[in-house]
Amino acid sequence: MTESSLIAADRPATENAAESADAILEMRNLSRVFTRQPVLAETLLKLAGRAPDIPVLRAVRSVNLSVQRGEVLGLAGESGCGKSTLGRMMTGILPASEGTVSYEGADVATLRGAALKDFTLGVQMVFQDPYSSLNPRQRVAAILAEPLTVHRPDLSRAQINARVDAALEEVGLDVSYRDRFPHQFSGGQRQRIGIARALIVEPQFLVCDEPIAALDVSIQAQVINLFLELRRKRNLTYLFVSHDLSVVRHMADRVAIMYLGEIVELAPTAELFADPKHPYTRTLLEQIPSVRNRKRSFSTVKGELPSPLNPPSGCPFHPRCPAAMPQCSVDAPQLQQIAPGRTVSCHLYDKDKTLT
Amino acid sequence: MAAPNTRLDRDEIVAVRQPLTNTPQRRAMLGKLKRRPSVRNSLIALLVITLIGLCLPFFAQQDPYDLTSFSVMDNRMPPMSESFDGMVFWLGTDGQGRDMLSAILYGMRISLLVGLVSTALALIIGVSVGLVAAVLGGRIEALLMRLVDFVLGFPSILVALVLLAMIGRGVDKVILAIVMVQWANYARIMRSSALSERRKEYVEAAHNLGYSTGRVMFRHVMPNSLSAVLVLATVQIASAITLEATLSFLGVGVPVTEPSLGLLVANGFDYLMSGAYWISFYPGIALLILIFSLNLVGDRLRTALDPKRS
């Protein structure tokens, strides 16, 4: 632990640059702020020279992350930490406020025409809520055929039908379901339809935004296995967003831990779960219940998740951190590499510090 | 499959929001519509009125638009009296000797026509404006919605009066005037339901699949936000008929040669004090039944479509 931390660098981009040769999607200093439109009175105040205070929510703050071709990148954190916002920026549903997303080396903000279509269809999304992610007035066959009729005018009706049937079979649904409406399915089946819709445009990269959080526990395992099977068959890349660490552990090759819009730790799955570095990751992992020692007492993470409208100074985690130092409330730590493939953003691992 | 309670509740809500093409929901809705006798009677009344309107010549014993078919000799005859050629005037005659029953039937047809056509046109305009405002947002939305506020800010009868005073009388002009004052209602409702629909994940998915804005707007957002507007429309038919009757009563609506119910009431108004009550009274009753039925059915439809009530 001690030797490796000496490689620390305060330039977060170095690691990404080294890996970018095979990166399918790369994010640099990516931020997203949400604010509301000024109402008329506030616009008038502004004209009068007294700018009003409109609250600004920083959902994602300067994230640097790259997704390697073929990997499953897990993204975990408490609810409200910006996981879904980050996922939506990766698919292009939400534009970035600052920073860039590059798809196969090209900044997606500059893409036009066929290149833009390649990106849009190449990065698809599976949504959290299977009850609102399907158009309630379209039959399953129409939901699955629409992307093809829009983007593949060269296909005949019969070819499209054949592909719709193949897509249904691929996600484990009976072909006879094609004329049903979404409400005639269970949550797990709806999620399968959502997956089939994303896959029918043959994407390379699938952003899964808590795809199993809304499902029954008994169904969760089936859908997870479907994801793993599809990955093997189609050589897909996943970003798997979840607040369930056991699912992330099962699925992911690498895991990024987010806290209040920032990535605080990034490591290969086995290493992260064996030896978490960031105090936040440690507290998160302590919360996983285990069957083996059921008499354990749980120490909750003290305090509440601070409001992203008014984040704490310095390190965002310092008010709740068990290892907080005076420096933490002043200085925001940068992501630094502490071992090959492992980065963490915490002052405990600053190179000139002796570690506890 | 012991699903948690929340899931079950959710399924129920989703089920009620479904399109009417599905038999269980349609059956439940029609059941709800039929359960109350007043609503059932209204439905029957509406059906009868529509039927009569469609095949009028079979029901009316006289064509009130044909000046040769009636004689001024028969003017102001009380109900149940007989004309010199043996025809019975069930509801009496007006000042020109027209059979009131035939005039009411023809008037109802005009009232219904004006109500349906103007509501349909206002619906199309309002839905498009509301949808465009909700989906495009920004300056376009601000502009359109301020226009809506502007239209809604004036009393509709005043706007219609001024408009008709400028462009003259006629069934088509009355329809135009009613559309001008009513489209804004639909636009506002459509915008708000489209706004809430637009935030749902299936719309995000549609954008993410690279569909054009127009396709997302008309294929995905519109079908799912129409139900509130359609319920409003059933009630608005009645208010369109009322507005037309009011305008005709005030003398700026339909021309005298094509009397609607409102104009018939206005014609009889002069004779009311001289004892010939039937000229105003029966068209008024007909108008009442028409509007009352439309309102009851519309109101019940709203209850039936609302998952929280009923």
Side-chain angles (χ1 to χ4, degrees):
Chain A
M1 191 203 278
T2 34
E3 294 95 324
S4 54
S5 62
L6 294 175
I7 321 168
D10 48 6
R11 288 162 298 152
T14 22
E15 183 223 12
N16 291 334
E19 289 177 348
S20 63
D22 205 25
I24 186 164
L25 206 74
E26 209 174 338
M27 285 151 277
R28 281 187 188 261
N29 300 319
L30 194 66
S31 298
R32 174 71 203 192
V33 299
F34 289 103
T35 178
R36 63 176 170 81
Q37 291 285 315
V39 298
L40 186 64
E42 286 165 341
T43 318
L44 289 177
L45 268 179
K46 202 173 175 184
L47 286 178
R50 294 182 51 189
D53 243 6
I54 296 176
V56 172
L57 189 147
R58 302 191 156 275
V60 172
R61 304 196 284 167
S62 194
V63 163
N64 287 288
L65 188 64
S66 71
V67 184
Q68 305 303 304
R69 193 177 298 280
E71 77 168 339
V72 177
L73 178 62
L75 184 61
E78 283 169 285
S79 45
C81 70
K83 308 184 294 279
S84 296
T85 308
L86 184 60
R88 278 175 163 71
M89 284 198 283
M90 291 166 94
T91 62
I93 291 177
L94 269 180
S97 302
E98 283 162 38
T100 55
V101 179
S102 311
Y103 176 65
E104 300 191 321
D107 180 359
V108 301
T110 62
L111 296 179
R112 295 286 176 274
L116 178 64
K117 190 170 137 184
D118 272 355
F119 161 67
T120 310
L121 299 186
V123 183
Q124 279 300 310
M125 184 151 179
V126 175
F127 292 89
Q128 173 174 11
D129 182 1
Y131 288 87
S132 73
S133 62
L134 302 175
N135 186 342
R137 310 228 162 190
Q138 274 184 318
R139 289 173 200 275
V140 173
I143 291 175
L144 296 181
E146 192 172 6
L148 296 176
T149 47
V150 170
H151 295 295
R152 298 292 302 273
D154 53 311
L155 293 178
S156 72
R157 181 144 287 279
Q159 283 171 311
I160 288 178
N161 277 336
R163 288 205 184 193
V164 168
D165 288 349
L168 280 173
E169 267 167 17
E170 190 174 17
V171 296
L173 287 174
D174 201 282
V175 179
S176 63
Y177 289 165
R178 43 179 299 142
D179 288 326
R180 293 200 186 177
F181 283 103
H183 72 268
Q184 292 169 300
F185 292 93
S186 71
Q189 288 172 318
R190 281 161 164 251
Q191 199 57 286
R192 287 170 192 264
I193 299 168
I195 296 167
R197 176 182 60 190
L199 290 180
I200 207 155
V201 292
E202 289 165 9
Q204 307 209 19
F205 179 30
L206 214 52
V207 173
C208 311
D209 179 18
E210 308 217 22
I212 57 161
L215 303 181
D216 278 3
V217 179
S218 56
I219 310 293
Q220 286 187 350
Q222 295 175 11
V223 175
I224 289 174
N225 288 340
L226 174 65
F227 273 116
L228 291 174
E229 189 191 317
L230 289 171
R231 179 202 183 192
R232 207 181 55 242
K233 270 201 262 175
R234 290 195 170 220
N235 200 20
L236 288 165
T237 308
Y238 289 146
L239 175 84
F240 204 87
V241 179
S242 181
H243 59 250
D244 187 341
L245 286 169
S246 54
V247 172
V248 169
R249 186 178 199 168
H250 184 64
M251 292 278 300
D253 302 322
R254 286 197 302 156
V255 179
I257 304 286
M258 258 185 113
Y259 184 77
L260 215 65
E262 289 178 6
I263 287 180
V264 294
E265 185 163 5
L266 176 66
T269 309
E271 288 178 38
L272 183 106
F273 281 91
D275 178 23
K277 295 290 189 196
H278 196 282
Y280 178 61
T281 317
R282 284 184 199 162
T283 42
L284 272 188
L285 292 187
E286 279 166 18
Q287 307 305 314
I288 300 181
S290 111
V291 184
R292 257 173 242 136
N293 54 359
R294 48 179 86 182
K295 290 264 166 71
R296 243 186 74 194
S297 67
F298 290 97
S299 59
T300 49
V301 187
K302 63 175 183 184
E304 299 257 325
L305 185 69
S307 162
L309 282 170
N310 184 21
S313 61
C315 171
F317 189 55
H318 85 262
R320 303 168 80 186
C321 181
M325 301 177 288
Q327 182 194 4
C328 296
S329 59
V330 188
D331 241 9
Q334 299 286 315
L335 263 185
Q336 51 184 325
Q337 188 164 5
I338 54 167
R342 295 206 63 169
T343 50
V344 64
S345 127
C346 181
H347 286 309
L348 286 176
Y349 304 96
D350 285 353
K351 58 182 166 187
D352 48 354
K353 285 265 175 345
T354 40
L355 294 179
T356 46
Chain B
M1 282 298 283
N5 263 335
T6 47
R7 175 68 45 76
L8 280 177
D9 291 349
R10 237 173 140 174
D11 274 338
E12 271 164 21
I13 294 170
V14 169
V16 178
R17 280 210 207 114
Q18 287 317 308
L20 297 179
T21 38
N22 268 296
T23 39
Q25 279 97 31
R26 179 188 278 176
R27 233 181 291 130
M29 262 206 40
L30 289 179
K32 280 181 195 168
L33 275 182
K34 276 190 285 191
R35 211 164 295 147
R36 284 226 306 254
S38 57
V39 179
R40 197 177 52 210
N41 294 344
S42 308
L43 263 178
I44 294 172
L46 279 184
L47 284 178
V48 169
I49 292 171
T50 322
L51 206 70
I52 291 176
L54 285 177
C55 24
L56 244 187
F58 293 109
F59 292 99
Q61 44 187 350
Q62 194 186 63
D63 182 359
Y65 301 163
D66 181 5
L67 293 177
T68 58
S69 72
F70 53 85
S71 159
V72 80
M73 298 288 287
D74 293 330
N75 78 42
R76 278 188 281 163
M77 287 171 78
M80 302 307 289
S81 51
E82 223 173 277
S83 80
F84 61 90
D85 56 359
M87 198 167 90
V88 179
F89 299 121
W90 299 96
L91 298 180
T93 60
D94 69 359
Q96 272 86 48
R98 272 190 295 219
D99 175 30
M100 280 315 297
L101 183 60
S102 309
I104 286 172
L105 293 180
Y106 275 82
M108 241 177 199
R109 180 161 78 165
I110 290 196
S111 292
L112 214 52
L113 179 85
V114 170
L116 290 175
V117 173
S118 58
T119 302
L121 290 177
L123 191 68
I124 293 169
I125 297 175
V127 163
S128 318
V129 169
L131 199 59
V132 167
V135 173
L136 296 186
R139 276 164 196 276
I140 297 172
E141 180 182 24
L143 189 77
L144 289 174
M145 292 331 283
R146 292 302 78 75
L147 183 67
V148 165
D149 289 343
F150 179 78
V151 172
L152 289 178
F154 285 102
S156 49
I157 184 77
L158 181 73
V159 177
L161 263 177
V162 171
L163 254 169
L164 286 173
M166 290 188 320
I167 58 182
R169 311 176 84 167
V171 175
D172 51 342
K173 283 160 187 150
V174 173
I175 290 174
L176 179 75
I178 295 174
V179 169
M180 292 288 282
V181 297
Q182 284 199 338
W183 67 269
N185 291 312
Y186 302 109
R188 181 172 273 182
I189 304 257
M190 186 64 191
R191 171 176 163 270
S192 58
S193 65
L195 272 183
S196 72
E197 211 57 40
R198 203 180 59 137
R199 301 225 170 84
K200 296 207 175 141
E201 287 180 339
Y202 72 87
V203 179
E204 281 188 342
H207 281 298
N208 193 217
L209 284 163
Y211 300 162
S212 64
T213 312
R215 176 175 274 269
V216 175
M217 205 153 58
F218 290 106
R219 290 279 180 89
H220 296 269
V221 179
M222 191 178 84
N224 287 294
S225 34
L226 264 184
S227 60
V229 185
L230 287 180
V231 170
L232 176 72
T234 56
V235 182
Q236 287 287 88
I237 295 175
S239 88
I241 292 176
T242 321
L243 187 58
E244 178 272 329
T246 314
L247 291 170
S248 299
F249 183 83
L250 293 175
V252 290
V254 296
V256 197
T257 47
E258 292 172 87
S260 69
L261 290 175
L263 191 59
L264 288 174
V265 175
N267 286 344
F269 193 62
D270 302 334
Y271 307 106
L272 209 55
M273 290 301 134
S274 56
Y277 69 92
W278 59 87
I279 307 181
S280 276
F281 183 72
Y282 291 114
I285 292 288
L287 192 61
L288 189 76
I289 293 173
L290 185 60
I291 289 166
F292 193 67
S293 313
L294 280 169
N295 271 338
L296 262 184
V297 170
D299 199 48
R300 193 61 191 157
L301 193 66
R302 182 169 50 197
T303 324
L305 283 172
D306 186 354
K308 293 188 209 88
R309 288 168 63 196
S310 79

